[in-house]
Every structure is written in C-alpha cells, then in structure tokens.
Amino acid sequence: MNSEIPIPHHQRTFKLENGREVSVSESVLRNEVHQVNHSDVFSPSGTRSVVVGELVKFLEHSHRPSVRFEWPARFGDDESLCSICSSITLDTSVHNAYNSTTGRLGLSVGIVLAKEVSLGTLRSLKRRSAECSLCRVALSVISKDPSIMTDTKVPSSEECILRPGLGAFRTYVDSIPVTDVFYGNRPGNSVRGHIQFSRYRQVPSDVWKTEAMSAVGNASSQQAAARLCDTLISRQNSSDQQIDFRQIRGWLKKCEDEHGSTCSPDRHKSSLTRDNAMFVVIDLDEMRLVKRRLSSFFDYVTLSYVWGGRNSSVTNNRNFESRLQKRGLVSSFPDLPAAVRDACTVVREVGRRFLWVDALCIKQDDPEDQASQIPLMDRIYSQSVLTVVAMSGEHAQCDLPGVKPGSTPNPIQRTERTPSWIFAELPPTLDRVLKLSKYETRAWTLQERLLANRRLYLTRWQAYFQCYRYVYQETYHRPRQIVQDERLFQFQGPGEFYFNLSHARLSLSTQWHIPSLKVDDGSSLIPWDQRSLIMYDKLVNELSARNLWDPNDILKAFQGLVSNMEASQAGPFVAGLPLRVLDRALLWAPVRGLEKRELSKDARPIPSWSWCAWAGPGVKHPWASYGLLNHLLDCDFRAHASYIQDFFLEDSGVFRRVDRNAYNATDKSQPLAVGHPEDYGMSLVQPHGDGGQFLHFVTQVVSADAFNVGFGSKRGQIGSQDVEGDWDLMYSPGGRYFVKAISPANEGVVATCVELGENGNQKGLSSFVYTKKNVPAENEKDPLPATRIFNKGEECGIVLSDEESIRHCFGGPQAAAQRRKYNLVLLSANCKGFDGVRCDPVVREGRGDRFMLYAQFACQGDYSLYNALLTEVVNGYQVRVALVQIKEDAFLEAGTRTEYVRLG
C-alpha cells in the first residue's frame, strides 16, 4: 500500500499490556509506522508481534464494557468464517505457568479451543480458504512445509487438525495461549505452527470504517488505531516479503557487543592449537578464491546446505589456479547453485567480505586436499563469525528464503481480521522447524550446524538467529534465552527452584550448541562424565540415523566433531568410537533393524564393532536409556566394570595399546599394569590388504548354542507393548541437586528441584528424567530389536536384535558345526538390583512427549549382569553380530573358557 497511515499530530495515548501509557508521537509505534510508510523492506521485528498485538489490546480495552462474552462460547456467526470454523467452541484456560521473572509457578489465563477440531483434508481446506479467514491462516501454516505440498506420498485423506496448545514455545520459557496446527492425526505428529486469536467483539463496527478517517484531525484514537492495525495486517499478508537485514545485523551486533567470549569464535582460535593449517575462502570484493591461515583472526561467514541438484561449478584441480586470480569467479558465478549465490548476498548484507563454501573452497577431485581439509571442519565452522544455514532447501539449487523478492511465496505471519476476531499465525520454534526439514536428515549437515558459534537459519517459516545465549526470531520481539543448565537458575526459597524440562532436554538443537563438555574451571577438557557420555550417545544416535549421498562418507561426516572432541582432550577416536571409554562405546544397539553399510570396493572396510559399519534408523547405548533392559532385567547401567585387562588396537598392521579411563578394581590407588601384545601371545591378523582395524583382547567366552531363543510357549521376540519402548535420558541435575517432582504446566513440564544438604544420608541420592515420543497406536505391538534368550528353560538375558536375525546363532535344529561359529564374548558387567528408592510417574505433555521421573539411591548390588557380544568366527577372527545382556550365573553355568579374541 502506498498511502500514508494517518497519525494525529497531537498526542494520543495507548495503554500497553504492562500498564504503561505511551504517546503515539513519542513511542516505538511511531518509529514502526515510519518504517512501514517509508521503507521498501518489510520490518518484521515490531510490526508483526508488537504493534498489531498492542493495538488490538488497546481496541479491546477501549470498548470492553459493551458486550459480554457468554460461556460456552463459539467463534460465532461471522461473514468471514465458514460453517466449520464459526461453530468451533472456546473455553477459558487456567494453567500453571512458569514466571521467568520470579522463578515461581503461577497461573495463566487465556481463551483457548475447548477441544480438538478437524478442518478437513487439504483439498477441502484450500477450497474453504477462499471465503474463511481462519482456514486461510491454517492453510498458510501448513503450506510452509514443502513435504506436505509437494510430496505425492502424503495421503490425500490426511486432515488439518487444530488442538488446544499448552504453550507455543515449549523449548523456551513462555506461556502464550495458542492453538496448535497439525497435519494428520497420528500420535507423535510434529506441530506445523500455531494460531493465536484476539477478540475485540466489543469494538463498534464504525471504528473500523475508513471513511471516518479521511481527515486526520477528525480521527479518534480508536479509529487511528484501527486504520493502523488494518494497514499493518495488509503488509503482513504480502507474498513478496524479504528478510530485514537491518534486523539481522542488529542481532549479530548485539551478540558481538554483549556476549563477550561466550559466543566469540576467538575462544576457539586460542584453544585449538592446530596452527599453520591453511584453508581457502571466497573474497566477494575481488570475486576470487584466496588462501588464508586458519589461525589468523579475520571475519568470514560459512554456509551449511544440502548438496544435490545440478552443481557443475565446483572447484577442482583444473580450475583452481584460475579462481585464485582476481575476478576469477565472475564468469562462473551465474552457474553457481542458487543457495551459494544467495549466501553471497547475505554475507554482503551483514557487512562481511569472506565466505567459505565446501564445494568451492575444497577441490572436489583431489583426495589429498579433502584429507587435509575435512579434519579442519570443526575449526572452519567454529571460527566463523556466522554460519548461514539453508534450512528449507531440498538441494543446492533452492533459493534461500527471503533473500530475493518472491523467494518467500507465503507470508511469514498471515493475519486475518474479521468483524469480531484477529487470527494471527505464529511460526513454530526453531527446534520444531529443525524436525520438519530435509536438512536435518543429512549426515554432513549435523556437524556443520553443531560446530558453529552463531547460526542464521533461513527457512520458509521465518529467519532464526541462534548463538550460545539466545534464539532470535522475526515474529517475536524478545530473544529467547537458551537455558544451559541448572546452575543458571537462582534459587527461590530455601534450596528449591523450578526447571522447565520442556526446554532442558539434551537435544542437539540446543544443548550441544552450548560448550557443555567443559569442566567447571573453563578449561578445554572433556572429562567423560555422565553429561559427556550422554551427549556422545545422542551424537551417535543422531548421525547413525541420517542419510548420505555416498555411504563411504560416514566417518568423514563425523570427522569434524571428532576433531573437536580430540582437541578438547577427549582422547583419540577410532572408527567413530572414543578409545578412552571403549568399554562403554562398544555397548551400542540398534533402534530398529540395521544392515551392513555397503561401501565401494576400493574403500577401507569399517570394523564390525563400530556403529559406523551399519546403516539403518540409528543406534543408541543401553546405559543412556531406560526401559527395555532396566525394566526386564532390573539393572542399573550407570555402574560399569570391565573384564578386559588390556585392549590392543591393530591398525594398518601395527599394534597399539588402548589407554582407557580406568583404575585398578582391587586398589584404586594403584595404576593399571601396562601390558604388551606379546604378554598375551597376540599376533596380527594376516593376510589383510589394508591391515584393517582389529581389537585384540583376552576374555571369557561361551558358545552361543548353550542358549535358546524362546522356550516352549515362551516367546523370544520382545515387542513395544512389553516395556513401552525405551526412554531417552533427557535431564539429570548435577550432584548438588535432586528432582523432587515433575508436573504439567502451561508451557510444558516443570520439575521441582531441591538442593541437597550436606548430611551423609543424602549424598547417594540421584534423579533422572527420561522422555519418549508416544508410539502411534497402530505400531504399539511392533517388534523391538530385542529377543529373550533362555538357558534350561529359564529366561536369562536379552539379545539386542530382532529374533529373525539371530535365531540361527543359538541352540536349535541347525547343524552343530554351524552353531559353533557363534560365541558370546564377555566385555563388562553392570550392577544388578537396587538398594534405594525408585519411582516412575509419567506425565504427558500436550504435544505427545512423555516424561518419567526415576529416582534412586546409589546402587549397592553386585556386578551381576554381563555385557557380551554375540560374534561369528570368520577367516580366523570374529565379527560382531549383536549386543547381549545376560545374567551372570547363566553365563558361568554355560561353561566359560578363556580365549584370545581378535575382533574385526
């Protein structure tokens, strides 16, 4: 709209929500109106969430006495609503709400949906959106997810569902009453966005008539506010919106100026000591590639995106030298992928000169260049001033939303006004958007995103900016603080505080971005304690489930994170496993069925004992979850003891002893004796073309044919109905704190935490909170990758694999020679039984997550549950088949033998 918004020259006062009265001529509103009138760039920071909201509240309060709102209420007869939407029933909502100012739980009241509502199929929603305001907003929410609008696999029968929301921003502290929008009614479906509605039923209709505002001097405050509100809504619904780079620059400057070393890439430059490393960046001023020393202090931006599509303009040995020349990239610039060209625009708009893009800065046909640069990925991303994340791109040829006109086809926050209501779209929070993107399914993008200090996510929903302290987003005027750990909270009252579990989860979208693997003195050290072990488990679980264009790249896609952890003194990694905690790292199991990863013939084989050798829905470690093993075997997996005196790694034909974080079990003050391969009569696996990677050790072994899968009427296969699946460890406070209770609240689930006293009887107290997604009803009886094994008719353990895959390994009708190929190889033991308090209340959050509190005293039982590998003998060495948890007495009674094991 080109017409000016009329604002009276004399002062008009608007009463904001906090009670403060502001003058039109002096307030933030006037500045926002000026931007709307005089700027070609839409300014989302104020107009989307601040101005419209405050104006509607002003209009509400101006006419509140005129009409009462009768309960039970409906949206009511309204010429702007369809029959379905006008009949939607409403209710008042009173919930516990966490007050971030006081740190206490209070009450939050708002108007919400009375019950879940279906708006019908996508086709019917599109048809009704031509006439219905609420349907238009719902369609705008769904349309931003390309998987719904373009995926032919999406069933046409899926419906748009509106549900009462228990807090729009559950990753952060907030308590806004909203309606959640889902596509499909299956449990566990991701929320696509939210709708917030404001009622001004009391406002007389003539207030909205623009004719009354022809003369500025005759306009009342109410009429001026209404006209301003309509104009801003019209701007919000424009389909030609672009990013407000002034806002982006403001976010970046605020972080640089106020967050000090917390978010500064300089701290990585000083802590990582691999100096003299060179890398290549794009100089956008001179349009060429330039070489720089990675340890030098200069600002550059990195790009993280999904490969794919036509990309013929990569850097290679043939064009590298010419691209080093001034303007050497000019001729090929039009042929660069759209994501790269748009990233160049972003770099210039945020006032920077240099950009790093893997396709252009690493020679794609040079194995030596790749071998030198890929281990530097941690430094390249962590030392950049900003990482631009192409979140919504299906491949490199996709535009970055909001950079060019027309690249955001749907309005970021559609807002509709009816005679009685305003419906405003609220985009989902960052953690929700991550789950909806193809970007988050690719293996390479995981380390790129996690290693960055500051990330600018460009999505179809909106732009998000995340640093170590805050998440900023276009449609919300306040930054949302990332809560790092309980030490940031101030205690309210005698040793008690509240902690919002809904934003405390150990998710990769939040917690790993924080430098959490540091000891309290701030040194760069990974101590391999509970927090770091759980974080490693989540990294493995996340990466192992992601997709690769080239299966050979699995270790490369993990290399940046490995380099970062190794530089933080986590010790060496081999085949994706940290050697210092090798005993625990070997204890991985599939989430669902796995298959051997198919590598090219010329690729170096990955050993079977590494999760990297397998492809599928992901793997996890039993010590990082609760459910299957804890429930059926009554075991505490925190307590762990190894039966392997020495591990030796054979790598490319050379032995080396594995230095583990371990102590002498008989005398903690005495170090472990240092053994040598010849002490155990060990020899290299020969012949082997590339030398291979084998673990050599001596341990107790039993033949697998001593056990049976199932027995009589007792079935072997375990289903989710037996134990409700596995629960992921989400939160466990430090040793000083204890989770007293968990309860639903308006913005998620809140834990009541207490500070432990110094008296001795409390020192062993510990608490864990686990979470899991609800299992869709039709899959409740799906088989888990878990099978019971029996000895002499008694259940004695669990093989963490489905029954069909491992039945032939155990006792049964198969030939004895075949059975003798399979062994149970003892690795370690866990504590069996508990001496203390256990409780497991479960609460359900509005979006499908379940939370369980598990509390206990320190374990006092014996180490009586064994961790063993089911192995197969192949060509003189053994390969991993599955992980087994088996009771001690059953293992020993099967007839153990001491054996030298070569595990490949």
Side-chain angles (χ1 to χ4, degrees), residues 90-130:
L90 306 172
D91 198 358
T92 53
S93 172
V94 181
H95 291 286
N96 287 330
Y98 177 85
N99 188 312
S100 58
T101 302
T102 65
R104 288 291 189 181
L105 289 178
L107 294 179
S108 175
V109 182
I111 300 176
V112 297
L113 295 186
K115 59 182 180 180
E116 180 180 299
V117 176
S118 171
L119 297 184
T121 64
L122 183 60
R123 178 177 296 179
S124 63
L125 183 66
K126 287 180 178 179
R127 184 178 66 251
R128 294 198 314 276
S129 66

Side-chain angles (χ1 to χ4, degrees), residues 365-427:
D365 62 348
D366 190 332
E368 291 186 4
D369 194 38
Q370 293 184 19
S372 67
Q373 294 297 298
I374 289 175
L376 299 176
M377 295 280 277
D378 62 319
R379 294 187 63 186
I380 291 173
Y381 278 96
S382 63
Q383 292 182 193
S384 67
V385 70
L386 178 69
T387 294
V388 178
V389 179
M391 180 63 69
S392 294
E394 295 292 303
H395 48 73
Q397 291 297 336
C398 295
D399 294 328
L400 299 186
V403 175
K404 296 192 296 285
S407 58
T408 306
N410 296 304
I412 292 177
Q413 189 179 17
R414 176 170 285 280
T415 304
E416 295 285 342
R417 181 181 70 81
T418 78
S420 303
W421 299 89
I422 284 183
F423 304 109
E425 175 185 355
L426 292 178

Side-chain angles (χ1 to χ4, degrees), residues 6-261:
I7 292 293
H9 293 295
H10 53 285
Q11 291 188 352
R12 303 289 190 186
T13 57
F14 290 81
K15 191 171 184 178
L16 302 185
E17 185 180 20
N18 60 10
R20 184 170 63 90
E21 291 188 349
V22 294
S23 170
V24 169
S25 60
E26 298 174 353
S27 67
V28 174
L29 297 181
R30 174 168 286 283
N31 179 55
E32 293 294 338
V33 170
H34 177 81
Q35 290 187 21
V36 170
N37 283 333
H38 299 286
S39 175
D40 293 332
V41 179
F42 186 75
S43 176
S45 57
T47 56
R48 286 188 182 145
S49 54
V50 180
V51 179
V52 173
E54 298 299 350
L55 289 174
V56 170
K57 288 168 187 166
F58 170 72
L59 292 169
E60 277 187 7
H61 294 309
S62 298
H63 299 280
R64 186 174 294 280
S66 60
V67 179
R68 292 193 60 181
F69 203 27
E70 300 292 339
W71 300 101
R74 301 175 184 272
F75 279 130
D77 296 332
D78 193 314
E79 64 268 23
S80 299
L81 296 177
C82 65
S83 58
I84 294 178
C85 293
S86 61
S87 62
I88 292 175
T89 55
L90 306 172
D91 198 358
T92 53
S93 172
V94 181
H95 291 286
N96 287 330
Y98 177 85
N99 188 312
S100 58
T101 302
T102 65
R104 288 291 189 181
L105 289 178
L107 294 179
S108 175
V109 182
I111 300 176
V112 297
L113 295 186
K115 59 182 180 180
E116 180 180 299
V117 176
S118 171
L119 297 184
T121 64
L122 183 60
R123 178 177 296 179
S124 63
L125 183 66
K126 287 180 178 179
R127 184 178 66 251
R128 294 198 314 276
S129 66
E131 304 295 335
C132 177
S133 298
L134 183 55
C135 286
R136 276 195 295 276
V137 177
L139 181 62
S140 178
V141 171
I142 291 177
S143 298
K144 291 182 174 64
D145 187 349
S147 66
I148 294 176
M149 305 307 293
T150 60
D151 193 347
T152 57
K153 297 179 182 178
V154 174
S156 59
S157 60
E158 294 281 24
E159 298 181 351
C160 175
I161 306 296
L162 305 183
R163 293 177 187 160
L166 297 179
F169 305 101
R170 69 162 182 80
T171 306
Y172 315 98
V173 176
D174 212 324
S175 56
I176 299 176
V178 296
T179 294
D180 291 342
V181 182
F182 293 83
Y183 188 67
N185 202 20
R186 297 184 302 275
N189 264 8
S190 294
V191 63
R192 259 58 188 192
H194 319 279
I195 300 175
Q196 185 179 16
F197 40 85
S198 301
R199 169 179 167 270
Y200 52 87
R201 188 179 294 274
Q202 305 89 339
V203 180
S205 59
D206 61 353
V207 170
W208 294 101
K209 293 180 180 178
T210 56
E211 300 92 308
M213 304 186 64
S214 56
V216 170
N218 296 330
S220 67
S221 295
Q222 292 80 16
Q223 290 169 333
R227 179 66 187 279
L228 176 59
C229 193
D230 266 357
T231 304
L232 295 178
I233 287 174
S234 176
R235 286 295 180 96
Q236 286 192 192
N237 293 338
S238 168
S239 60
D240 195 25
Q241 297 173 4
Q242 290 179 260
I243 297 171
D244 182 357
F245 282 106
R246 291 169 298 181
Q247 186 181 36
I248 305 297
R249 290 193 295 270
W251 293 339
L252 182 57
K253 186 176 188 303
K254 186 176 182 66
C255 178
E256 291 178 316
D257 292 347
E258 299 180 12
H259 297 175
S261 61

Side-chain angles (χ1 to χ4, degrees), residues 590-592 620 622 625-632 718-729 770-775 779-786 798 800 842 850 852:
V591 174
R592 283 290 188 264
K620 63 194 309 182
S625 65
Y626 177 92
L628 178 65
L629 300 173
N630 307 67
H631 181 83
L632 297 179
I718 298 174
S720 57
Q721 75 277 8
D722 295 321
V723 289
E724 286 197 333
D726 280 339
W727 298 69
D728 290 329
L729 178 61
Y770 295 87
T771 184
K772 76 182 289 287
K773 285 290 183 184
N774 290 334
V775 179
N779 296 327
E780 284 183 355
K781 295 186 178 181
D782 272 2
L784 294 173
I798 294 175
L800 292 174
V842 176
R850 292 193 194 178
M852 175 179 68

Side-chain angles (χ1 to χ4, degrees), residues 287-289 310-315 319 322-323 327-337 340-341 360:
M287 287 303 294
R288 64 169 176 168
L289 300 180
R310 183 181 58 84
N311 190 2
S312 58
S313 299
V314 299
T315 295
N319 60 25
S322 63
R323 290 185 171 187
R327 299 185 62 79
L329 285 172
V330 172
S331 60
S332 59
F333 188 81
D335 298 325
L336 295 180
V340 177
R341 297 197 306 271
L360 298 183

